[in-house]
Amino acid sequence: MATKSEEIAAALAERIGEDRDFPPGSTLPRTDDLVQEFGVSKVTVGGAIELLERWGLLRAVKKAGYLVLQPVERRTVRDAVRRPRGGGYVFPVVASAPGAWVLHGREQVDRLPVPDDIAELFADIEPGSQVLRRRRVSSPPGEPPFQLADTWLRPELEESAPELAEHDTGPGGYLEVIEHGAGHGPLSWDRFLQIDMPTAEEAQLLQVSRKLPVWRQYTVGVSAKTNRPVEITAVVIPGARVRYATKLRRDASARWPVEPFAPAPQSFDVG
C-alpha cells in the first residue's frame, strides 16, 4: 500500500512535462504551498520531493528551490561492442540510442592525479600518479546529459602515441590510436558495474540531484601485446535513465541435458 508521500509524489509526477503544470526548467511550488494544497505535514511533502529527486524529475538549486527536469526515456543497455563500417567502436551505452551522440561542452584533456579506484584497476600504477584523462559529457541529440565518461590512459602510451593528448585524435578516436598507432590491438575489455551515489561534481555535470543513485561502470581495455590494462573508462549514468540487459550463459555444470533433480532420501530415527 502506497504511503502518503508516495501518493503525493505520483500526483506531482503526473503534472511534470511539456504543456503541464510544471514544465522542464520551472520550479516546484514552495513546500508551504504544497503542504496547504495536499493537507499534509512538511515531513510528508519532504518525503514526496525526495522521491521525485530519486526518480530524476527534480534537483535542488541553491536559492532557486527545486528545478523541474526534462523527463527522459530509460534506455536498455545490452552486452555488445559494435564497430560500424568506416567508423570507430560503439560501446553498449551509446548503442542504446540511434544516431550520433552530442557532447555537452568540449572534451577535456588533462593530466591529473589518478584516483584510488582507477589505480586499483591498473594494478601497477600508484594512486596520485599523474595520468592523462579524457573527460566527455554526452547524450543523444536533444536530451539532457546522459553520461559522464572519464578515460584514463596508461602513461607509457604517450611515448609511442603523443596524439593521445590532443583533443582530436583522428578517425576512430583514441582507441584507434591505442590499437594501431601504439600497437596494442586487438584490445579486449572487462567491465565492472556498481550502484553508487554521485559526487557533487558528477551531479552538477549530469544536471541531476545528489539523491539520485547512479550506475558507475568501469571498462578496462586490456592490451593484446602486454596483457595489461592500457585504458580505463569510468562512466557515470543517472540510475533513472538506464537498465541493464544480458543473456545469461550456462556454466559447464548446468549444460543440457542435466540430471533430473532427485530429492535426498529421508532418514528416520527408529531408535
Side-chain angles (χ1 to χ4, degrees):
M1 186 174 181
T3 66
K4 194 65 179 176
S5 289
E6 290 170 338
E7 291 177 0
I8 293 171
L12 290 172
E14 287 293 322
R15 296 161 63 185
I16 289 176
E18 296 291 349
D19 302 322
R20 298 189 183 183
D21 293 344
F22 312 126
S26 66
T27 54
L28 205 65
R30 295 182 309 117
T31 299
D32 288 344
D33 294 334
L34 293 174
V35 165
Q36 184 174 1
E37 178 181 347
F38 290 100
V40 294
S41 69
K42 284 188 176 182
V43 172
T44 300
V45 168
I49 289 173
E50 184 168 333
L51 282 171
L52 291 169
E53 290 184 271
R54 291 179 183 177
W55 296 346
L57 296 175
L58 295 179
R59 71 181 177 104
V61 177
K62 192 174 182 179
K63 297 183 179 179
Y66 289 97
L67 182 69
V68 176
L69 304 179
Q70 176 184 340
V72 290
E73 176 185 354
R74 185 187 292 269
R75 301 195 179 280
T76 299
V77 175
R78 302 182 184 276
D79 281 327
V81 176
R82 298 190 293 107
R83 183 156 186 174
R85 183 180 296 274
Y89 289 109
V90 179
F91 283 81
V93 171
V94 176
S96 68
W101 282 35
V102 297
L103 289 177
H104 292 256
R106 192 183 187 195
E107 180 175 10
Q108 298 178 22
V109 183
D110 304 286
R111 285 181 184 81
L112 298 169
V114 65
D116 291 352
D117 54 348
I118 302 299
E120 181 181 357
L121 291 170
F122 272 122
D124 56 355
I125 295 179
E126 287 294 322
S129 303
Q130 291 291 311
V131 174
L132 189 68
R133 185 198 71 180
R134 305 182 66 92
R135 164 168 282 185
R136 306 168 301 284
V137 180
S138 61
S139 74
E143 294 190 11
F146 187 96
Q147 68 170 5
L148 165 64
D150 285 341
T151 296
W152 300 84
L153 300 170
R154 179 174 287 280
E156 304 94 278
L157 287 175
E158 281 192 80
E159 297 175 10
S160 55
E163 61 267 41
L164 287 170
E166 302 295 330
H167 279 93
D168 184 2
T169 55
Y174 70 92
L175 290 176
E176 182 78 8
V177 175
I178 293 173
E179 287 195 321
H180 293 92
H184 288 280
L187 294 175
S188 59
W189 294 279
D190 295 318
R191 188 168 62 172
F192 305 88
L193 303 173
Q194 64 189 55
I195 304 302
D196 208 345
M197 300 305 294
T199 66
E201 181 184 32
E202 291 166 348
Q204 180 66 31
L205 290 170
L206 292 168
Q207 299 173 20
V208 296
S209 168
R210 288 200 67 184
K211 295 179 180 178
L212 172 61
V214 295
W215 170 346
R216 195 178 300 278
Q217 170 187 293
Y218 301 91
T219 301
V220 181
V222 179
S223 165
K225 181 167 68 174
T226 65
N227 202 34
R228 294 190 303 171
V230 288
E231 61 92 14
I232 296 172
T233 299
V235 171
V236 182
I237 304 172
R241 303 203 60 183
V242 67
R243 64 180 177 182
Y244 173 67
T246 187
K247 189 175 182 64
L248 296 180
R249 65 175 183 84
R250 285 178 177 262
D251 181 75
S253 64
R255 287 179 182 167
W256 187 265
V258 298
E259 291 293 327
F261 177 74
Q266 294 182 334
S267 61
F268 299 93
D269 187 358
V270 294

